[in-house]
Amino acid sequence: MVDVRIGDAERERALERLGRHVGDGRLDLAEFSTRSEQVTAARTASELAAVEADLPRLPRPADPERERRVRRTVLAATWGPWALTAVVVLTVWAAVALGGGGGYFWPIWVIGPWGAVLALGTLTGRSVAGPCGRARTGAERVHRVHAPS
């Protein structure tokens, strides 16, 4: 298998990662200097990988587009069942009211408290209680539900 040559962009990213490792205390300045020289001299992907082989992988930086998609998915999963229930109970109430059976607006007891709890959770970002009563954020719920087994 042929080793792939790298460019300046790959070297820059490797130097940034080494800098983060210095900041996290995994490398001292002398070791950073040595590894930086190795990164600068690296010509192939395997040479670059060898410089970082004994260091843990750093987490990826946050992706704002992904966070927006996760938030939209969580909101749909949270509010969708409420909206469907609201349509059903309002339809039943309207059919009964049009049929001459009382005008008491009972759906408020079904959709009112539930909607208030959902609204409070949406505004605070802590809509569903997690284990041990700790409320999880929407992103935590989605990651837990869709986490690989």
Side-chain angles (χ1 to χ4, degrees), residues 73-91:
T73 301
V74 168
L75 286 175
T78 302
W79 283 95
W82 179 87
L84 179 63
T85 302
V87 168
V88 169
V89 297
L90 289 173
T91 302

Side-chain angles (χ1 to χ4, degrees), residues 42-132:
R43 297 289 174 244
T44 63
S46 63
E47 291 173 0
L48 192 61
V51 174
E52 300 177 274
D54 62 336
L55 297 170
R57 287 183 65 104
L58 294 170
R60 298 178 110 190
D63 179 12
E65 176 62 25
R66 183 175 183 282
E67 292 296 324
R68 187 179 65 75
R69 284 192 317 267
V70 166
R71 176 145 177 81
R72 192 174 6 152
T73 301
V74 168
L75 286 175
T78 302
W79 283 95
W82 179 87
L84 179 63
T85 302
V87 168
V88 169
V89 297
L90 289 173
T91 302
V92 170
W93 174 80
V96 170
L98 289 175
Y104 178 69
F105 188 67
W106 57 265
I108 192 67
W109 296 109
V110 177
I111 59 177
W114 186 9
V117 169
L118 290 179
L120 180 63
T122 299
L123 292 174
T124 62
R126 300 173 69 88
S127 58
V128 176
C132 303

